[in-house]
Amino acid sequence: MAFYHPIDHFSTKGKVLIVPVVSVANVAQLAADLLITSLSLHRVGIFDPRSLVPVVGAREDDLPGVTTPLELFGRDDANIAVIQQRSPALKSSKQEFVESLLEFIRTSGASAVLVIGGVDMSNRTDPQMLTPTCQIVPPGIPDLSSGPLAALTALPIPVYTSPVSQFLHTDAERTTIPFIPGGGLSRRILSSLSDTWQIPTACLLQYVMEGDNRADAQLMAAVVSKVLQVDVPYWKQPSSWGHGLFGTPHDQTLYG
């Protein structure tokens, strides 16, 4: 079965792919929601969900059909496309999922890839408290200075370093990508890029803690728009955030 199933006439060729990783506080998914809604991106394809925790739900704004675990959003006249992941990979299928995702990206014709994710704020060192956002540029990828990610080389976004020992396991698991507490599959994705990877790729990480992370998500979305030089007149929250983001309101009679 194919990993990607288009549901609309849409090409990712020449577009920057934004890939949110399920990680601490789901800040990357919330930022992706803001980008999708604010830029009026439409669902153009769905991915095979067999490697992900099963989930299904209503679509935004009562659109027909259902929401699936992994979807692609885009618009022909926008230079970005957003992959939205709504559930984590199954423990036994993490590497299979990463390999399928990277193969899709490799053959997509994308001009660049920007991975976004969260990192546990409680693990910061003192110097890392000066900024909420940091970056990782994997070794061996094409130079970023002249492509869609060129702004990243000029912005004051520090390079991420791990606050804990990088090599916690066996020598076979060693990688040049630092350990990312709470980062989900961010490290695995970046570490799985092959020596022949030809797509400019970078990762943005944001220090967050669990809670009401809407403000964190807007900050991350703003940094993404700055890096990609995408004009967003104003940030528009999805309508579902108003009634489903934190569950139903508590019955106030419970508190007297």
Side-chain angles (χ1 to χ4, degrees):
M1 182 183 292
F3 180 63
Y4 176 65
H5 306 271
I7 57 176
D8 201 353
H9 296 292
F10 177 79
S11 174
T12 52
K13 187 175 182 179
K15 299 186 184 297
V16 178
L17 278 179
I18 299 173
V19 183
V21 178
V22 176
S23 48
V24 61
N26 288 325
V27 66
Q29 280 67 42
L30 296 175
D33 271 348
L34 285 172
L35 289 163
I36 290 167
T37 304
S38 302
L39 296 173
S40 300
L41 304 183
H42 311 294
R43 188 173 71 171
V44 295
I46 60 176
F47 296 86
D48 185 347
R50 72 178 68 189
S51 297
L52 304 175
V53 173
V55 65
V56 69
R59 293 184 63 196
E60 199 72 47
D61 298 325
D62 296 322
L63 289 171
V66 295
T67 292
T68 63
L70 196 65
E71 302 174 325
L72 178 66
F73 291 81
R75 210 179 67 216
D76 288 336
D77 58 347
N79 65 352
I80 70 170
V82 179
I83 294 176
Q84 180 61 296
Q85 184 178 345
R86 303 189 186 279
S87 68
L90 296 166
K91 185 176 182 180
S92 60
S93 303
K94 290 180 179 180
Q95 190 60 33
E96 178 185 352
F97 168 69
V98 168
E99 290 173 359
S100 296
L101 177 64
L102 291 180
E103 178 62 16
F104 165 76
I105 295 171
R106 187 187 67 80
T107 59
S108 67
S111 59
V113 180
L114 186 62
V115 178
I116 58 176
V119 57
D120 187 354
M121 182 183 289
S122 64
N123 283 276
R124 284 188 300 178
T125 61
D126 287 348
Q128 290 171 333
M129 293 184 182
L130 299 176
T131 176
T133 309
C134 49
Q135 62 167 300
I136 298 176
V137 178
I141 64 161
D143 182 52
L144 302 184
S145 60
S146 60
L149 301 179
L152 185 59
T153 63
L155 291 171
I157 301 175
V159 174
Y160 173 77
T161 56
S162 179
V164 298
S165 175
Q166 180 174 341
F167 304 127
L168 300 179
H169 305 293
T170 64
D171 288 344
E173 294 174 302
R174 293 195 176 202
T175 170
T176 55
I177 305 299
F179 180 62
I180 306 171
L185 295 181
S186 301
R187 189 187 194 208
R188 187 184 292 250
I189 290 171
L190 299 175
S191 300
S192 297
L193 298 179
S194 69
D195 295 336
T196 58
W197 190 259
Q198 295 297 312
I199 306 173
T201 302
C203 175
L204 288 176
L205 296 172
Q206 186 163 317
Y207 296 103
V208 288
M209 295 187 70
E210 298 286 352
D212 185 345
N213 298 104
R214 285 174 287 192
D216 295 316
Q218 185 164 324
L219 174 59
M220 172 163 265
V223 174
V224 170
S225 67
K226 192 75 172 178
V227 168
L228 301 181
Q229 299 181 305
V230 175
D231 181 33
V232 182
Y234 66 95
W235 293 108
K236 180 181 178 183
Q237 295 186 1
S239 59
S240 60
W241 283 22
H243 55 78
L245 188 59
F246 297 105
T248 56
H250 297 297
D251 184 353
Q252 294 303 307
T253 60
L254 295 172
Y255 307 102

